[in-house]
Amino acid sequence: MRILLFLLFFLISSLSFAQKTFWASKVVAFSSEYSDALTTKENRAIQVLGRPNKLPQIGMSACAWQPLTQNNPQEEFIIVSFDTLMSIQQVAVAENYGQGCVVRVEAFDEFDNLKLLWANKSAPTGEVGKMLNIVLQKPTPFKVRSIKVVLNTNRIKGWSQIDAIGISQATTPIKATINLAKNLPTELVKENLGKSVNSEYREIAPVISPDGKTLYYTRWKHPDNLGKDKNQDIWYSELQGDKKWGAAVLFPAPINNNEHNAICAISPDGKTILLNNVYLPDGTMAKGVSMSTKSSKGWDFPKALNIKNFKNKSDYAEYSFSPNGRVLILTGQFKETQGGKDVYLSFLQADNTWSEPQDAGSVINTAEDESTPFIAADGKTLYYSTRGLSGFGSNDIFMSRRLDDTWLKWSEPENLGPIINTPEWDGYFSISALGDYAFFSSQENAIGEEDIFKFKVPESIKPDAVVQITGGVYNYSDKKPISASINVQSMTDKDTVCVTYDPQTGDYKLMLPAKKSYTISASKKGFMSISEPLDFTKETNFKEIKKNIYLYPIEAGQRITLNSVFFEQSKYEILPSSYPELDRIVSLMRENPTMEIMLEGHTDNQGDWNANLLLSKQRVDEVKKYLASKNINMSRIQTQGYGSTRPVSSNNSEEKRKLNRRVEFMIIKN
């Protein structure tokens, strides 16, 4: 039976391998490649590598190999190799433009002998482009090391381009396909937001607030725009009680001025916006990106982000930022580029400057222009627009997911499908933290030149679920709200989120990816900062949580439970997840050099009474040692273990016993 199963598995695996298409992975040699002073990797020989970037559409593309000249009486050629060495029965050449110029296809065997596979004996058909499928009568009697494609560009007037070269052991013709997102519904409906939002003019660049209740966007040449030239200005519309969008309102100064204004992104609390261009004091603009924060007095004058070596060669750029505010996603053309305008990443530094833009890599970027990036509230799912990947029209909208914490590894981009992507230019995708509706710009079925549309997001292209936390920070003694800094630390990775709470501008608001655990704390000079755990590991859908944080004034007699100090079960070794909490105590004692404290250990009533008493003392002694290791004088720290003698809850359930297993911190002297 095992032998039969093995043979069946072997046959299925062999059949799958035989049907697989291997696309060229390395350029071995070529006769020439196009280049000029304005290009980098566009139309170079390397563009022939990988799966087709243009087909099944036809036409010219920067993502295809193009010989240096057109109508060359001398033959041109390119030789490519593959991630395999095998006998083949098919070669596919993606002729996206200038179809009919391929005159020969040859193969090098494993000993580098050149073998003719096919010669073109037909006259050109007049087609612009297509997939040339060369299916052999039988498999090659040798293993193919590389393929040589020979062109006579004089056969077709104008430029000739090759999009990709593939090989297979199958006889079924290889086709170029669009990498569609999985499980897209056939009845997906896109809805024009109507005349309250759109007009006969051009509406672009929608940015939906994380709570889905305010839509910001840009209007081009609208008669109510500022300035004599009526350049693009920012407008917004608010969702009404009947779920319809209210009349558009012009965003106030100083955000709108006489120049080109556009909002790129908004923070989870809605109090910080990212703006295209640098606002100069004289009212003019420069290349770059700015940030404005809302206070009780309104939006402040936009401040430029200081990005190291920001030298964008392109006239255009778009921006987005991660929900934690520490990663800037931008498009532009810098010294490292896949060709044209790429998606880049810049990281916030300790001195509040931003790192030099780093190319997001060839999985995301192509030799064509990439534009309008938007990172979802999960900090993981990226939507952007490009014409450098097989699609349905001009620019299409694609989705990719971040694979690790470097922000440089991404999943293969997936096309959002023909209902969203049209034959025209499509881009500016934005989705709320709820993940219910997405918004984008499109010309198809527009009231004017270009409109804002929305659609209900299918599961397969939704971002991962997030949890929205809102609340305030209060003085524990008098229960009055106080301004403070709020910090959230992931327990599973190094991700942190920091926001400022101001009672005059409303509750703080955070969006945190679900399926993870965190600690949250607030800090303010003169108060003790103690963290609390947040466990969202079982959350799979969007959820709203109200979380008020209380700060304890630094005064003698003040007692606090250290909720985020953890130990191994029945042991006294401190777990690393406790360090952030303990480091906050270190900072507090450094800021208050005369402070003396008492650390008290408590357990539940499970197990031997004497053992629990000893364990509680050992645990607080370990905490004391940790503080001393951070140069806190041990004479300032007293310890006491109480075992199970001072419960704060009953011990009749595990949830209640957890409350009794604790370390408490009390100020003896301030």
Side-chain angles (χ1 to χ4, degrees):
M1 185 64 179
R2 289 185 178 179
I3 294 174
L4 288 175
L5 289 173
F6 174 78
L7 288 174
L8 181 61
F9 174 78
F10 178 78
L11 288 172
I12 293 173
S13 299
S14 298
L15 181 61
S16 176
F17 182 83
Q19 293 175 337
K20 182 178 179 180
T21 299
F22 291 88
W23 298 104
S25 59
K26 181 180 180 181
V27 174
V28 178
F30 56 90
S31 56
S32 71
E33 61 182 1
Y34 182 81
S35 66
D36 61 38
L38 299 178
T39 62
T40 53
K41 298 179 182 178
E42 298 94 320
N43 296 122
R44 299 294 178 88
I46 58 171
Q47 299 302 333
V48 83
L49 302 179
R51 60 186 295 167
N53 291 70
K54 184 68 176 179
L55 263 63
Q57 286 198 78
I58 57 175
M60 296 191 72
S61 172
C63 300
W65 167 59
Q66 178 176 292
L68 180 60
T69 59
Q70 51 186 317
N71 310 325
N72 187 353
Q74 303 295 320
E75 288 185 341
E76 300 273 7
F77 72 88
I78 189 166
I79 302 172
V80 295
S81 61
F82 306 82
D83 290 333
T84 185
L85 182 65
M86 68 180 188
S87 170
I88 67 171
Q89 200 166 356
Q90 183 178 178
V91 179
V93 182
E95 297 182 273
N96 59 291
Y97 196 75
Q99 190 275 327
C101 288
V102 178
V103 292
R104 290 194 312 281
V105 174
E106 300 167 318
F108 287 91
D109 65 16
E110 60 264 51
F111 305 107
D112 286 332
N113 297 310
L114 188 60
K115 313 280 189 178
L116 177 66
L117 297 181
W118 176 83
N120 191 354
K121 299 178 181 179
S122 303
T125 62
E127 296 173 273
V128 175
K130 71 174 185 180
M131 181 72 80
L132 171 62
N133 295 102
I134 301 166
V135 180
L136 308 177
Q137 291 185 349
K138 57 183 180 180
T140 57
F142 54 86
K143 293 180 178 179
V144 172
R145 182 182 297 278
S146 54
I147 291 291
K148 179 179 182 181
V149 177
V150 182
L151 284 70
N152 179 352
T153 60
N154 208 29
R155 282 170 59 90
I156 303 293
K157 298 303 179 185
W159 293 107
S160 300
Q161 293 187 341
I162 301 296
D163 189 7
I165 300 170
I167 59 173
S168 175
Q169 293 179 338
T171 57
T172 303
I174 295 169
K175 295 181 179 180
T177 59
I178 298 170
N179 187 36
L180 284 173
K182 309 299 183 289
N183 302 317
L184 289 175
T186 57
E187 299 299 322
L188 194 65
V189 177
K190 68 176 188 178
E191 176 187 343
N192 190 303
L193 293 193
K195 293 184 178 180
S196 61
V197 172
N198 295 313
S199 71
E200 61 184 285
Y201 299 91
R202 190 180 179 204
E203 280 80 29
I204 59 172
V207 175
I208 186 69
S209 62
D211 62 10
K213 295 179 180 179
T214 306
L215 179 69
Y216 303 89
Y217 61 101
T218 296
R219 273 180 165 168
W220 180 274
K221 298 295 184 182
H222 192 279
D224 292 334
N225 281 1
L226 303 181
K228 63 181 181 66
D229 295 326
K230 304 299 180 182
N231 293 319
Q232 63 183 43
D233 275 350
I234 301 166
W235 293 68
Y236 68 92
S237 175
E238 295 181 324
L239 192 65
Q240 306 300 300
D242 59 2
K243 302 299 181 182
K244 294 182 180 180
W245 291 97
V249 179
L250 186 66
F251 210 88
I255 307 305
N256 279 325
N257 57 24
N258 294 339
E259 300 296 325
H260 293 284
N261 309 117
I263 185 171
C264 306
I266 187 166
S267 63
D269 61 3
K271 299 175 184 177
T272 300
I273 53 176
L274 202 62
L275 299 159
N276 213 332
N277 296 318
V278 171
Y279 286 63
L280 301 176
D282 63 0
T284 60
M285 299 284 209
K287 278 187 181 181
V289 60
S290 301
M291 191 175 284
S292 176
T293 302
K294 189 177 184 179
S295 68
S296 58
K297 298 179 181 179
W299 293 96
D300 63 13
F301 189 84
K303 299 178 179 61
L305 270 61
N306 183 0
I307 305 173
K308 184 179 180 181
N309 293 333
F310 183 88
K311 298 175 182 178
N312 185 12
K313 298 177 183 177
S314 173
D315 292 332
Y316 304 98
E318 298 93 8
Y319 304 86
S320 184
F321 58 9
S322 62
N324 65 8
R326 305 185 66 82
V327 183
L328 184 67
I329 302 96
L330 65 151
T331 60
Q333 185 174 359
F334 300 88
K335 64 181 181 179
E336 293 293 334
T337 175
Q338 304 299 321
K341 189 157 65 81
D342 278 356
V343 176
Y344 288 83
L345 300 159
S346 178
F347 302 93
L348 184 63
Q349 306 298 293
D351 60 358
N352 284 325
T353 63
W354 294 82
S355 66
E356 182 173 354
Q358 188 171 357
D359 193 280
S362 59
V363 172
I364 293 290
N365 293 315
T366 72
E368 293 281 5
D369 285 346
E370 278 69 49
S371 62
T372 66
F374 172 80
I375 193 75
D378 63 358
K380 174 182 176 181
T381 308
L382 174 71
Y383 304 89
Y384 71 110
S385 177
T386 183
R387 64 187 302 170
L389 298 169
S390 296
F392 296 95
S394 176
N395 274 52
D396 276 7
I397 302 171
F398 289 81
M399 175 192 72
S400 178
R401 299 189 193 271
R402 180 166 59 88
L403 299 178
D404 66 11
D405 291 336
T406 68
W407 288 76
L408 299 175
K409 293 182 180 179
W410 298 87
S411 66
E412 184 178 0
E414 298 176 24
N415 191 294
L416 298 194
I419 299 176
I420 304 305
N421 290 315
T422 72
E424 306 299 332
W425 193 99
D426 298 295
Y428 294 112
F429 186 96
S430 180
I431 185 170
S432 73
L434 284 70
D436 51 358
Y437 286 95
F439 300 79
F440 66 104
S441 302
S442 183
Q443 298 174 16
E444 188 177 64
N445 300 322
I447 296 172
E449 297 178 42
E450 192 169 353
D451 282 355
I452 309 299
F453 292 78
K454 76 170 185 177
F455 69 94
K456 191 169 181 61
V457 184
E459 287 296 328
S460 61
I461 63 171
K462 278 186 177 182
D464 289 349
V466 297
V467 177
Q468 175 182 290
I469 307 175
T470 62
V473 182
Y474 298 86
N475 184 327
Y476 182 81
S477 296
D478 58 19
K479 305 301 186 290
K480 292 182 179 179
I482 52 175
S483 60
S485 296
I486 299 173
N487 179 275
V488 176
Q489 173 72 53
S490 169
M491 300 284 284
T492 53
D493 53 42
K494 297 180 180 179
D495 194 24
T496 60
V497 181
C498 303
V499 297
T500 299
Y501 169 70
D502 181 352
Q504 296 185 16
T505 58
D507 284 358
Y508 75 86
K509 186 179 294 182
L510 297 166
M511 300 290 179
L512 302 175
K515 300 180 182 179
K516 297 170 68 173
S517 58
Y518 304 85
T519 60
I520 184 170
S521 62
S523 60
K524 182 180 178 66
K525 191 172 180 62
F527 291 81
M528 288 189 288
S529 173
I530 303 300
S531 67
E532 296 183 54
L534 300 171
D535 186 1
F536 302 143
T537 53
K538 296 181 180 179
E539 301 296 340
T540 57
N541 297 306
F542 177 82
K543 185 175 183 179
E544 294 183 62
I545 292 176
K546 183 78 172 182
K547 183 66 178 178
N548 290 328
I549 304 172
Y550 293 88
L551 289 178
Y552 296 78
I554 298 174
E555 54 190 32
Q558 195 68 259
R559 183 190 300 272
I560 302 172
T561 298
L562 302 180
N563 295 303
S564 299
V565 175
F566 308 103
F567 303 88
E568 289 280 2
Q569 181 70 35
S570 301
K571 297 181 181 179
Y572 55 84
E573 287 80 11
I574 300 173
L575 292 177
S577 55
S578 308
Y579 297 161
E581 181 83 296
L582 297 180
D583 289 340
R584 279 186 282 272
I585 296 176
V586 171
S587 297
L588 179 68
M589 297 189 74
R590 286 174 178 171
E591 292 170 3
N592 299 271
T594 62
M595 179 186 288
E596 295 180 10
I597 65 171
M598 168 73 79
L599 296 172
E600 299 176 351
H602 303 269
T603 69
D604 58 31
N605 67 350
Q606 303 298 294
D608 181 78
W609 190 92
N610 289 317
N612 284 337
L613 186 65
L614 176 62
L615 179 62
S616 65
K617 182 66 167 64
Q618 289 172 325
R619 284 180 170 177
V620 289
D621 284 344
E622 284 299 305
V623 173
K624 180 176 181 178
K625 289 177 184 178
Y626 181 88
L627 301 181
S629 72
K630 301 294 183 178
N631 297 319
I632 301 299
N633 195 309
M634 295 183 73
S635 65
R636 299 171 60 193
I637 307 168
Q638 298 181 34
T639 62
Q640 180 66 55
Y642 290 101
S644 59
T645 61
R646 295 187 178 184
V648 293
S649 177
S650 69
N651 285 291
N652 57 12
S653 71
E654 175 57 22
E655 287 301 312
K656 293 181 178 180
R657 285 194 291 271
K658 282 182 181 179
L659 300 176
N660 292 328
R661 299 194 295 264
R662 68 198 188 278
V663 171
E664 291 185 342
F665 167 101
M666 186 177 71
I667 299 177
I668 299 174
K669 175 184 175 184
N670 186 15

